[in-house]
Amino acid sequence: MATLGLVEYASASAEVRAIYDDIMATRKTDWINNFWKAIANDPATLRRTWESIKEVMAPGALDPLTKELIYLAVSTTNGCDYCITSHTAGARKAGMSDAMLAELQAVVGMANETNRLVNGYQVEIDERLKRAALGKR
Amino acid sequence: MATLGLVEYASASAEVRAIYDDIMATRKTDWINNFWKAIANDPATLRRTWESIKEVMAPGALDPLTKELIYLAVSTTNGCDYCITSHTAGARKAGMSDAMLAELQAVVGMANETNRLVNGYQVEIDERLKRAALGKR
Amino acid sequence: MATLGLVEYASASAEVRAIYDDIMATRKTDWINNFWKAIANDPATLRRTWESIKEVMAPGALDPLTKELIYLAVSTTNGCDYCITSHTAGARKAGMSDAMLAELQAVVGMANETNRLVNGYQVEIDERLKRAALGKR
Amino acid sequence: MATLGLVEYASASAEVRAIYDDIMATRKTDWINNFWKAIANDPATLRRTWESIKEVMAPGALDPLTKELIYLAVSTTNGCDYCITSHTAGARKAGMSDAMLAELQAVVGMANETNRLVNGYQVEIDERLKRAALGKR
Amino acid sequence: MATLGLVEYASASAEVRAIYDDIMATRKTDWINNFWKAIANDPATLRRTWESIKEVMAPGALDPLTKELIYLAVSTTNGCDYCITSHTAGARKAGMSDAMLAELQAVVGMANETNRLVNGYQVEIDERLKRAALGKR
Amino acid sequence: MATLGLVEYASASAEVRAIYDDIMATRKTDWINNFWKAIANDPATLRRTWESIKEVMAPGALDPLTKELIYLAVSTTNGCDYCITSHTAGARKAGMSDAMLAELQAVVGMANETNRLVNGYQVEIDERLKRAALGKR
């Protein structure tokens, strides 16, 4: 059970309601999921987090689906069940198919595996890779 | 320094050379980075890891750039410097611009933040999100 | 269900009972939570863990509330639900208000975010910061 | 080396300079550390991250030192060297003594240990702890 | 609930059934646990993961019990409940006693603690340890 | 550089020296590695950590080599370079061959991969596995 409880729309302050309204309008949906209701106990965190998410997840150099896939990859790595569920749902809404989900999870799995092989073998970074990471030849 | 040393092409077994050749041919490059040279000390791990990476990173429902972005997102979350460098390089090669890199990191940052807000507030999963994650209305 | 079961006071050995008694006396409480009952299956681990916790969480340069907040921050980062619950409870007992909990979680969230921005941008440590960390000007 | 390079004050845009000025004024310091210079390549991330940090780290229900200690505890858990260095420095500036640092690290160590004991023994959450976490008796 | 559902033997394709048969034959068991049924939605991932696990967990320089203990140690560190349960079961089948489980968890706990003490105190690697890790005197 | 510096034997207090002597005697070695010298700034942490390590790593139901392998697996998963180096060295001293190291890392890699596949597919724990984990049929 949410530690500080959930702030429902009906009993929310005007400040919180305005943010809820913006969440629903931006996401073209008619409900608020528990994450926002939980952090709404701290309106400053609700506002800051929503404004950040709204900015970060907006279309830009990366499209919204790619951003949802990245969010899901991180949440899967961290083992956050709520986040895996909500961003699986979010990615589906943005167009993720079952096949894309399966490929995403395969990549996440391999990345977590090879990250540890690198650690275990204590591999030094190639100078050539460093230059390539900087965008230099 | 790599714990078991690096297996250079010149001194590699025929089995390892064949894999190195396939890596270079598949990636259209003329060199092998340290990761493969390190795990080549265990040819079974080299073969298994390369075959898995080759299969997982091939174009499918997700394009190669998206897969590199996901790989980079996971490596960034785990703090694996070698992997961050090699997959920043890999993503650039697949078409990632500086703007895309910056947006990727912004999403990775927010995901790591909200994953913990969910933990800290002990948010319960909405039934509606569960259904949406399953692809049901 | 706890893998090795829970060792209840009534059926505990004299060695385990003595530790349970010390836990209750030290914490000024009349019950033992499941964590201790679970690890009591290995009396050496019970004793060592309790003695360590007792020493580490005692008032010192940091007061007990601050120590509970730190414990909760780590548990939240690691996503350990039992630990989040028990140390939210422990921190409340030590004086944490709802407002303090919310601010704690906001800091934990930001730290997890910026930790990854540092990784993703591969930021080098400033010499000036190194000196300051060492307590030098 | 920072992947996208560092944005120095002299060559920064007016937007970035204004944020740098605010960072220095808020922190009562005359320099900008590499973290900000690295993320300044993406002015939106610079602005959002600074505004969030400024808000989250300001004195509130928790004092600035406690917030720095929490930040350091998270960074230590995640193994982010830059962050450990910068927040060790930050905590010292806010009043952390060597003794406080040592006690902090002792708590962080124990929390990371017991988090895993809970996992390994698969300890179920006590109903009484749940109520206490919610602030109920 | 498994995001893509579970592929039961009765309704599985010939390709998936062949892998299920090999899992049961290799493990000398007459059932398939949910992990395989879940990833069977992506037959390529099922095949690749099973072949990798089969190769990696086979007796070699390390015996099967030691490999199960290592698997359990990693899963405990990552807090993956399914994995902790399945590899506690797997290790028991391979000969792990309750005493061995308790000692394993004690080591996992200490490793997680000292990993963070190293981070927090920013300990530099001794040259002598580096040589010893390389197998040199 | 170690944040609080390193406490060398020559300048150590009698309390610290006694612990250093016990470390060297127990490990049959004539030197102290940096980890102990770093935490010796807090003699209580030095004593507690050494006594715990001494107890936990002593031969019991698991032999010392197996314990070192488990320690190395956790350190690799967490990406603690100092710990990977020191426990690769420690495991070699206890008898780990290059082939064992390679197999260990292969298992660690697979465990980190499948831990995330379980997360990503949200696999529910089989009742049969739960019973088996408890040691019941």
Side-chain angles (χ1 to χ4, degrees):
Chain A
M1 207 162 112
T3 308
L4 298 183
L6 300 175
V7 178
E8 299 295 341
Y9 190 93
S11 56
S13 67
E15 179 190 6
V16 167
R17 274 193 195 187
I19 297 168
Y20 283 1
D21 288 338
D22 192 39
I23 292 173
M24 291 189 285
T26 303
R27 297 192 158 176
K28 302 187 201 317
T29 183
D30 62 350
W31 69 297
I32 296 291
N33 56 301
N34 287 346
F35 173 67
W36 305 108
K37 292 182 189 170
I39 64 173
N41 286 285
D42 179 9
T45 289
L46 174 66
R47 181 189 38 69
R48 190 181 61 247
T49 306
W50 166 242
E51 285 179 3
S52 294
I53 287 281
K54 187 180 177 180
E55 180 173 296
V56 165
M57 299 304 280
L62 298 175
D63 60 274
L65 172 57
T66 301
K67 290 184 171 184
E68 281 291 344
L69 297 175
I70 291 165
Y71 220 111
L72 180 53
V74 170
S75 301
T76 300
T77 296
N78 287 332
C80 173
D81 287 339
Y82 186 94
C83 316
I84 293 166
T85 302
S86 64
H87 289 280
T88 297
R92 281 191 189 281
K93 193 173 170 184
M96 179 181 71
S97 64
D98 283 1
M100 292 163 83
L101 174 60
E103 290 192 13
L104 164 80
Q105 297 302 347
V107 176
V108 168
M110 282 309 300
N112 274 289
E113 178 178 11
T114 60
N115 281 195
R116 272 57 180 217
L117 288 174
V118 161
N119 290 344
Y121 281 86
Q122 290 280 288
V123 188
E124 285 179 7
I125 309 181
D126 310 72
E127 288 305 316
R128 208 160 150 172
L129 276 184
K130 285 186 193 171
R131 287 197 304 277
L134 293 170
K136 298 178 185 169
R137 290 180 175 265
Chain B
M1 209 163 108
T3 308
L4 297 182
L6 300 175
V7 178
E8 300 295 340
Y9 191 95
S11 56
S13 67
E15 179 190 6
V16 167
R17 275 192 194 187
I19 297 168
Y20 283 2
D21 287 339
D22 191 39
I23 292 173
M24 291 189 285
T26 303
R27 297 191 159 178
K28 300 187 204 314
T29 182
D30 62 350
W31 69 295
I32 296 292
N33 56 300
N34 288 346
F35 173 66
W36 305 107
K37 292 181 189 171
I39 64 173
N41 286 285
D42 179 9
T45 289
L46 174 66
R47 181 189 39 69
R48 191 181 60 248
T49 307
W50 166 242
E51 286 179 2
S52 294
I53 287 281
K54 188 179 175 180
E55 181 174 297
V56 164
M57 299 304 279
L62 298 176
D63 60 275
L65 173 56
T66 301
K67 290 184 171 184
E68 281 291 343
L69 296 176
I70 291 166
Y71 221 110
L72 181 52
V74 170
S75 301
T76 300
T77 296
N78 287 332
C80 174
D81 287 338
Y82 187 94
C83 316
I84 293 166
T85 301
S86 65
H87 288 281
T88 297
R92 281 192 189 281
K93 193 173 170 184
M96 179 181 70
S97 64
D98 284 1
M100 292 163 83
L101 174 60
E103 290 192 14
L104 165 80
Q105 297 302 347
V107 176
V108 169
M110 283 308 301
N112 274 289
E113 178 178 10
T114 59
N115 281 195
R116 272 57 179 216
L117 288 174
V118 161
N119 290 344
Y121 280 87
Q122 291 281 291
V123 188
E124 286 180 6
I125 309 180
D126 310 71
E127 288 306 316
R128 207 160 150 174
L129 276 184
K130 285 185 193 171
R131 288 196 304 276
L134 293 170
K136 297 177 186 170
R137 290 178 177 267
Chain C
M1 209 163 108
T3 308
L4 299 181
L6 300 176
V7 178
E8 300 295 341
Y9 191 94
S11 56
S13 67
E15 180 189 5
V16 167
R17 273 192 194 188
I19 297 168
Y20 283 2
D21 287 338
D22 192 39
I23 292 173
M24 290 188 286
T26 304
R27 297 192 159 175
K28 301 187 204 315
T29 183
D30 62 350
W31 69 296
I32 296 292
N33 56 300
N34 288 346
F35 173 66
W36 305 108
K37 292 182 189 170
I39 64 174
N41 285 284
D42 179 9
T45 289
L46 173 66
R47 180 189 39 69
R48 190 181 60 249
T49 306
W50 167 243
E51 285 178 3
S52 294
I53 287 282
K54 187 179 176 180
E55 180 174 297
V56 165
M57 299 305 280
L62 298 175
D63 60 274
L65 172 57
T66 301
K67 290 183 171 185
E68 282 291 343
L69 297 175
I70 291 166
Y71 222 110
L72 181 53
V74 170
S75 302
T76 300
T77 296
N78 287 333
C80 175
D81 287 338
Y82 185 94
C83 317
I84 293 166
T85 301
S86 64
H87 289 280
T88 297
R92 280 192 189 282
K93 193 173 170 183
M96 179 181 70
S97 64
D98 284 1
M100 292 163 84
L101 173 60
E103 291 193 12
L104 164 81
Q105 298 301 349
V107 176
V108 168
M110 282 309 300
N112 274 288
E113 178 178 11
T114 59
N115 280 195
R116 271 58 179 216
L117 289 174
V118 161
N119 290 344
Y121 280 86
Q122 289 281 288
V123 188
E124 285 180 6
I125 309 179
D126 311 71
E127 289 306 315
R128 208 160 149 171
L129 276 184
K130 286 186 193 172
R131 289 196 304 276
L134 293 170
K136 297 177 186 171
R137 291 180 174 263
Chain D
M1 209 162 108
T3 308
L4 298 182
L6 301 175
V7 179
E8 298 296 340
Y9 190 94
S11 56
S13 67
E15 179 189 6
V16 167
R17 273 192 197 188
I19 298 168
Y20 283 3
D21 287 339
D22 191 40
I23 292 173
M24 290 188 286
T26 303
R27 297 192 160 176
K28 301 187 203 315
T29 183
D30 62 351
W31 69 297
I32 296 292
N33 56 301
N34 288 346
F35 173 66
W36 305 109
K37 292 182 189 171
I39 64 174
N41 286 284
D42 179 10
T45 289
L46 174 66
R47 180 188 40 67
R48 189 181 62 248
T49 307
W50 168 242
E51 285 178 4
S52 294
I53 287 282
K54 188 178 175 180
E55 180 174 297
V56 164
M57 300 304 280
L62 298 176
D63 61 274
L65 173 56
T66 301
K67 290 184 171 185
E68 282 291 343
L69 297 175
I70 292 166
Y71 221 110
L72 181 53
V74 171
S75 302
T76 300
T77 297
N78 287 332
C80 174
D81 288 337
Y82 186 94
C83 317
I84 294 166
T85 302
S86 65
H87 289 281
T88 298
R92 280 192 189 281
K93 193 172 169 184
M96 179 181 71
S97 65
D98 283 1
M100 292 163 84
L101 173 60
E103 291 191 13
L104 164 81
Q105 297 301 348
V107 176
V108 169
M110 283 309 299
N112 274 288
E113 178 178 9
T114 59
N115 281 195
R116 272 58 179 217
L117 288 174
V118 161
N119 290 344
Y121 281 86
Q122 290 281 289
V123 188
E124 286 179 5
I125 308 180
D126 310 71
E127 289 305 317
R128 207 161 150 172
L129 276 184
K130 286 185 193 171
R131 288 196 306 276
L134 293 170
K136 296 177 186 171
R137 292 185 174 259
Chain E
M1 208 162 109
T3 308
L4 298 182
L6 301 175
V7 178
E8 299 295 341
Y9 191 95
S11 57
S13 67
E15 180 190 7
V16 167
R17 274 193 195 188
I19 298 168
Y20 283 2
D21 287 339
D22 191 39
I23 292 174
M24 290 188 286
T26 303
R27 298 193 157 175
K28 301 187 202 318
T29 183
D30 62 351
W31 69 296
I32 297 291
N33 56 301
N34 288 346
F35 173 66
W36 305 108
K37 292 182 189 171
I39 64 173
N41 286 284
D42 179 9
T45 289
L46 173 66
R47 180 189 40 69
R48 190 181 61 249
T49 306
W50 167 242
E51 285 178 3
S52 294
I53 287 281
K54 187 179 176 182
E55 181 174 297
V56 165
M57 300 304 280
L62 298 176
D63 61 275
L65 172 57
T66 302
K67 290 184 171 183
E68 282 291 344
L69 297 175
I70 292 166
Y71 221 111
L72 180 53
V74 170
S75 302
T76 300
T77 296
N78 287 331
C80 174
D81 287 338
Y82 186 94
C83 316
I84 294 166
T85 302
S86 64
H87 289 280
T88 298
R92 280 193 189 279
K93 193 172 170 185
M96 180 181 70
S97 65
D98 283 1
M100 292 163 83
L101 173 60
E103 291 192 14
L104 164 80
Q105 298 302 349
V107 176
V108 168
M110 283 308 300
N112 275 289
E113 178 178 10
T114 60
N115 281 196
R116 272 58 179 216
L117 288 174
V118 162
N119 291 343
Y121 281 86
Q122 290 280 289
V123 187
E124 286 180 4
I125 308 180
D126 310 72
E127 289 305 316
R128 207 161 151 173
L129 276 184
K130 286 186 193 171
R131 288 196 305 277
L134 293 170
K136 297 175 184 170
R137 291 184 173 264
Chain F
M1 211 163 106
T3 308
L4 298 182
L6 301 175
V7 178
E8 299 295 341
Y9 191 94
S11 55
S13 67
E15 180 190 5
V16 167
R17 272 192 196 187
I19 297 167
Y20 283 3
D21 287 339
D22 191 40
I23 292 173
M24 290 188 285
T26 304
R27 297 191 158 177
K28 300 187 203 319
T29 184
D30 62 350
W31 69 296
I32 296 291
N33 55 301
N34 288 346
F35 173 66
W36 306 107
K37 293 182 188 170
I39 64 174
N41 286 283
D42 179 9
T45 289
L46 174 66
R47 182 188 39 68
R48 190 181 60 248
T49 307
W50 167 242
E51 286 178 3
S52 294
I53 286 281
K54 187 179 176 180
E55 181 173 296
V56 164
M57 299 304 280
L62 298 175
D63 60 274
L65 173 56
T66 301
K67 290 184 171 185
E68 282 291 343
L69 297 175
I70 291 166
Y71 221 111
L72 181 52
V74 170
S75 302
T76 300
T77 296
N78 286 333
C80 174
D81 287 338
Y82 186 95
C83 317
I84 293 166
T85 301
S86 65
H87 288 280
T88 298
R92 280 192 190 281
K93 193 173 170 185
M96 179 181 69
S97 64
D98 284 1
M100 292 163 84
L101 173 60
E103 291 192 12
L104 164 80
Q105 297 301 348
V107 176
V108 169
M110 282 309 300
N112 274 289
E113 178 178 9
T114 59
N115 281 195
R116 271 59 179 215
L117 288 174
V118 161
N119 291 344
Y121 281 87
Q122 291 281 287
V123 188
E124 285 179 7
I125 309 180
D126 311 70
E127 289 306 315
R128 207 159 150 173
L129 276 185
K130 285 186 193 170
R131 289 196 303 277
L134 292 170
K136 296 178 185 171
R137 292 182 174 262

